[in-house]
């Protein structure tokens, strides 16, 4: 027990827990063995355009290029391989998010052990520590900006000054360079602050909009004196801040095409199409929310709220709930706009969920009324999740295909649409698409459903129920 207490004491200090989380995050990256997500490969490719001086092609490749531009700048200084450089950037941004997350917990709980318990909740979060921290994503910049912005916003509520206000404004502004969703906080937080406080202060209201007003003035001058301003705005993603919610509202109140051959059921469905559509869409959202938060943290969150185990300053609690609800709305809009059912977009929301989960977790563990079964479920859940994160290593089939090609084939291969497999051959983002320029290839990689009896099959991946098939063009 003394050894466990010693570990707990060490990890109750922010530097100790921060280093542990940083090491686990780095391990998650190393554990992938060089695997890269599709979006990440796209950012590397966009950076190659900028590095080669092909600025127009780079900006046309993806309309929100800040992450790739950051990669480009650091590449010129370091000349590190782009994938390694991108992982380093994401790891640093994750470290910033963790630092401010733990600082927020220290501030709102005034509990020395909050860093330890907050670290445990983070380290057992499979979506963050296992699924996405190792990916090359712009989201890491959003996480960092939102946690820094939340911290400075809470500080500004206690001590409202121009300096403190500008800190949270700049935090969310920087986050917008990674993902434009961050700009929404610049728009709505001043309104929320004005509505939520008892003593209305117009000067503070204007101070909280100072950065946004400055941006608007500069932007207006740009539109006035630029001939192609409208085109740039249209091609960027800024318009989506307004366009996305409008689109979702239209979809929400558009009947889902449900058809039944039963005449009575058809009448019932036709009479309640809007209601069925709304219930279905919200059900999908809450199911996705539950799986993203995870069984353990969903249990702590819902169980703790149901028995009122949350003990926070009412003003701070109110502000965190606002961040939580606003991020929930943003993720819901993204989910229905891009039709992505992965947990990636929900990770942004999880950081605020955990700011509520951790105080509940602390109270549940310390409260003598908490049953042994509840304690066991919580600790078992943390242990299983942490074990899964540390030892989980899935086989990347695309990397297996690439290794086979490197080992066994010397002639050219047509990888078709499987560009990531081509990238795994030599991890060169500058040349991985060069096979598209070759007319005749000796080999070709196809999908399993393309297989015909007359094809000269070299190798199936895997042999049973193959997803990829390597054939000879002879």
């Amino acid at each position: 027990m003394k050894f466990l207490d010693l570990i707990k004491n060490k990890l109750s200090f922010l530097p100790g827990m921060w280093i542990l989380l940083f090491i686990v995050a780095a391990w998650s990256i190393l554990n992938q063995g060089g695997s890269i997500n599709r979006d990440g490969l796209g950012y590397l490719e966009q950076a190659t355009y900028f590095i080669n001086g092909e600025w127009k092609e780079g900006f046309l490749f993806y309309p929100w290029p800040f992450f790739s531009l950051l990669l480009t700048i650091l590449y010129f200084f370091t000349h590190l391989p782009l994938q390694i450089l991108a992982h380093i950037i994401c790891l640093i941004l994750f470290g910033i998010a963790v630092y401010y997350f733990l600082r927020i917990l220290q501030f709102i709980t005034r509990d020395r052990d909050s860093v330890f318990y907050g670290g445990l909740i983070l380290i057992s979060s499979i979506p963050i520590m296992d699924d996405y921290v190792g990916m090359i994503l712009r989201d890491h910049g959003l996480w960092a900006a939102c946690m820094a912005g939340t911290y400075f916003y809470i500080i500004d509520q206690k001590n409202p000054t121009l300096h403190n206000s500008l800190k949270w404004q700049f935090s969310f502004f920087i986050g917008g360079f990674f993902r434009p969703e961050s700009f929404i906080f610049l728009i709505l937080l001043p309104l929320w602050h004005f509505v939520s406080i008892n003593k209305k202060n117009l000067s503070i209201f204007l101070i909280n909009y100072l950065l946004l007003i400055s941006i608007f003035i500069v932007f207006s001058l740009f539109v006035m004196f630029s001939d192609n301003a409208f085109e740039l705005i249209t091609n960027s993603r800024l318009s989506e801040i307004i366009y996305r919610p409008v689109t979702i509202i239209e979809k929400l109140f558009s009947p889902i095409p449900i058809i039944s051959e039963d005449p009575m059921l058809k009448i019932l469905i036709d009479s309640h199409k809007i209601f069925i559509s709304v219930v279905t869409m919200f059900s999908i959202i809450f199911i996705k929310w539950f799986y993203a938060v995870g069984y353990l943290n969903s249990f702590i969150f819902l169980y703790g709220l149901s028995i009122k185990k949350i003990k926070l300053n009412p003003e701070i609690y109110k502000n965190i709930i606002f961040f939580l609800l606003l991020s929930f709305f943003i993720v819901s809009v993204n989910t229905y706009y891009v039709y992505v059912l992965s947990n990636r977009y929900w990770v942004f929301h999880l950081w605020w969920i955990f700011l509520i989960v951790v105080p509940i977790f602390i109270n549940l563990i310390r409260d003598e009324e908490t049953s042994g079964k509840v304690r066991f479920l919580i600790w078992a859940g943390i242990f299983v999740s942490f074990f899964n994160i540390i030892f989980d290593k899935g086989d990347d089939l695309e990397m297996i295909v690439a290794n086979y090609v490197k080992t066994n084939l010397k002639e050219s291969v047509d990888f078709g649409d499987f560009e990531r497999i081509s990238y795994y051959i030599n991890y060169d983002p500058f040349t991985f698409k060069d096979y598209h320029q070759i007319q005749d290839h000796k080999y070709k990689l196809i999908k399993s459903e393309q297989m015909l009896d007359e094809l000269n099959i070299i190798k199936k991946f895997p042999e049973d129920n193959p997803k990829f098939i390597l054939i000879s063009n002879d």
Side-chain angles (χ1 to χ4, degrees):
M1 288 298 293
K2 289 184 178 180
F3 177 71
L4 293 177
D5 288 338
L6 178 63
I7 293 176
K8 179 184 175 183
N9 290 334
K10 293 291 185 183
L11 295 180
S12 291
F13 290 98
L14 195 150
M17 180 55 77
W18 186 89
I19 291 171
L20 176 61
L21 286 162
F22 196 85
I23 291 172
V24 174
W27 169 252
S28 293
I29 296 173
L30 294 172
N31 203 30
Q32 295 176 150
S35 179
I36 189 172
N37 52 303
R38 295 184 187 279
D39 286 354
L41 184 54
Y43 301 138
L44 302 192
E45 184 181 358
Q46 186 176 37
T48 63
Y49 287 118
F50 297 139
I51 292 168
N52 290 329
E54 300 172 346
W55 297 99
K56 182 178 180 181
E57 292 81 355
F59 284 110
L60 288 174
F61 184 86
Y62 187 71
W64 208 256
F66 178 76
F67 184 78
S68 298
L69 286 170
L70 181 60
L71 264 177
T72 302
I73 294 169
L74 294 178
Y75 176 82
F76 282 127
F77 282 102
T78 65
H79 291 285
L80 288 172
L82 281 175
Q83 183 174 348
I84 293 176
L85 192 58
H87 279 306
I88 291 173
I89 293 171
C90 289
L91 195 57
I92 291 172
L93 291 170
F94 170 75
I96 294 171
V98 169
Y99 172 78
Y100 282 108
F101 172 80
L102 297 177
R103 287 292 302 273
I104 293 168
L105 285 175
Q106 286 181 319
F107 185 80
I108 66 177
T109 63
R110 301 296 181 185
D111 192 309
R112 178 178 174 275
D113 294 335
S114 62
V115 168
F116 172 73
Y117 290 108
L120 287 184
I121 291 298
L122 267 186
I123 214 168
S124 62
S125 173
I126 291 176
I128 294 179
M129 301 303 297
D130 189 27
D131 295 340
Y132 298 109
V133 76
M135 289 189 181
I136 296 172
L137 296 169
R138 297 171 298 131
D139 302 50
H140 298 72
L142 180 65
W143 304 346
C146 286
M147 285 300 97
T150 302
Y151 175 75
F152 292 125
Y153 181 81
I154 292 174
I155 295 295
D156 187 45
Q157 301 310 293
K158 183 178 181 181
N159 183 25
T161 64
L162 174 62
H163 185 248
N164 287 335
S165 179
L166 286 177
K167 280 183 178 180
W168 67 256
Q169 290 180 60
F170 272 108
S171 296
F172 288 111
F173 178 68
I174 296 297
F177 284 107
F178 289 95
R179 295 196 66 91
E181 294 95 309
S182 188
F183 291 139
I184 297 174
F185 292 91
L186 288 176
I187 299 170
L188 297 183
L189 271 179
L191 285 173
W192 162 250
H193 176 260
F194 188 76
V195 170
S196 63
I197 60 175
N198 294 324
K199 296 181 179 180
K200 313 299 180 186
N201 190 317
L202 187 58
S203 63
I204 293 179
F205 179 73
L206 293 176
I207 286 173
N208 289 339
Y209 269 123
L210 184 60
L211 182 59
L212 202 60
I213 292 171
S214 302
I215 294 170
F216 179 77
I217 292 171
V218 173
F219 186 74
S220 300
L221 292 173
F222 169 74
V223 171
M224 288 173 60
F225 294 102
S226 176
D227 294 331
N228 59 347
F230 180 77
E231 181 183 352
L232 289 173
I233 296 170
T234 304
N235 291 333
S236 74
R237 300 185 63 189
L238 283 175
S239 57
E240 293 182 9
I241 294 176
I242 298 174
Y243 177 71
R244 285 193 180 193
V246 172
T247 302
I248 298 308
I249 291 172
E250 290 177 351
K251 291 179 180 179
L252 185 63
F253 293 99
S254 298
I256 294 177
I258 303 175
I259 300 174
S260 175
E261 295 181 356
D262 186 292
M264 297 305 294
L265 184 57
K266 184 178 184 302
I267 294 172
L268 185 63
I269 291 173
D270 291 341
S271 301
H272 302 86
K273 276 190 174 182
I274 299 297
F275 176 76
I276 293 172
S277 299
V278 172
V279 170
T280 301
M281 293 182 75
F282 277 106
S283 297
I284 293 172
I285 287 295
F286 281 108
I287 290 171
K288 289 304 302 177
W289 177 89
F290 178 78
Y291 281 112
V293 176
Y295 297 106
L296 170 65
N297 292 312
S298 295
F299 169 75
I300 295 175
F301 182 74
L302 298 174
Y303 180 77
L305 290 181
S306 66
I307 61 174
K308 299 180 179 179
K309 285 294 181 182
I310 180 72
K311 296 178 181 178
L312 291 177
N313 178 285
E315 291 300 316
I316 292 176
Y317 182 60
K318 182 172 60 176
N319 286 320
I320 294 175
I321 291 296
F322 174 78
F323 281 111
L324 191 151
L325 293 176
L326 180 55
S327 61
F328 182 89
F329 171 76
I330 292 171
V331 178
S332 300
V333 169
N334 278 337
T335 299
Y336 281 118
Y337 186 80
V338 298
Y339 293 111
V340 174
L341 293 180
S342 71
N343 291 330
R344 171 187 166 185
Y345 291 111
W346 287 101
V347 174
F348 151 70
H349 166 75
L350 294 185
W351 294 88
W352 288 294
I353 285 285
F354 293 162
L355 290 177
I356 300 295
V357 166
V358 173
I360 295 174
F361 179 31
I362 294 172
N363 290 328
L364 285 174
I365 292 300
R366 291 176 176 172
D367 195 338
E368 295 180 356
E369 295 180 1
T370 303
S371 68
K373 291 181 179 179
V374 171
R375 294 173 190 268
F376 173 80
L377 285 173
I378 292 174
W379 287 116
I382 290 174
F383 177 79
V384 170
S385 298
F386 179 70
F387 185 87
N388 180 76
I389 290 167
I390 296 299
F391 296 102
D392 180 34
K393 182 176 175 61
D395 293 328
D396 190 322
L397 186 59
E398 291 182 337
M399 294 183 72
I400 293 173
V401 176
N403 289 332
Y404 178 87
V405 171
K406 283 194 295 185
T407 305
N408 299 281
L409 305 178
K410 302 302 180 185
E411 281 87 5
S412 64
V413 177
D414 180 4
F415 293 98
D417 295 329
F418 311 117
E419 294 173 344
R420 190 160 51 166
I421 297 177
S422 174
Y423 174 76
Y424 289 144
I425 298 297
N426 53 21
Y427 288 91
D428 189 349
F430 293 90
T431 62
F432 77 102
K433 282 188 174 182
D434 285 357
Y435 70 91
H436 288 299
Q437 311 303 322
I438 301 173
Q439 297 298 322
D440 298 317
H441 295 84
K442 187 169 182 180
Y443 303 98
K444 184 176 182 180
L445 194 64
I446 63 173
K447 293 181 180 179
S448 59
E449 58 263 26
Q450 294 176 267
M451 186 174 63
L452 300 173
D453 293 337
E454 62 269 19
L455 292 180
N456 185 8
I457 298 174
I458 305 297
K459 179 73 174 175
K460 299 177 183 178
F461 305 92
E463 287 295 334
D464 298 326
N465 301 317
K467 294 183 179 180
F468 304 109
I469 298 174
L470 187 66
I471 63 171
S472 171
N473 280 330
D474 294 339

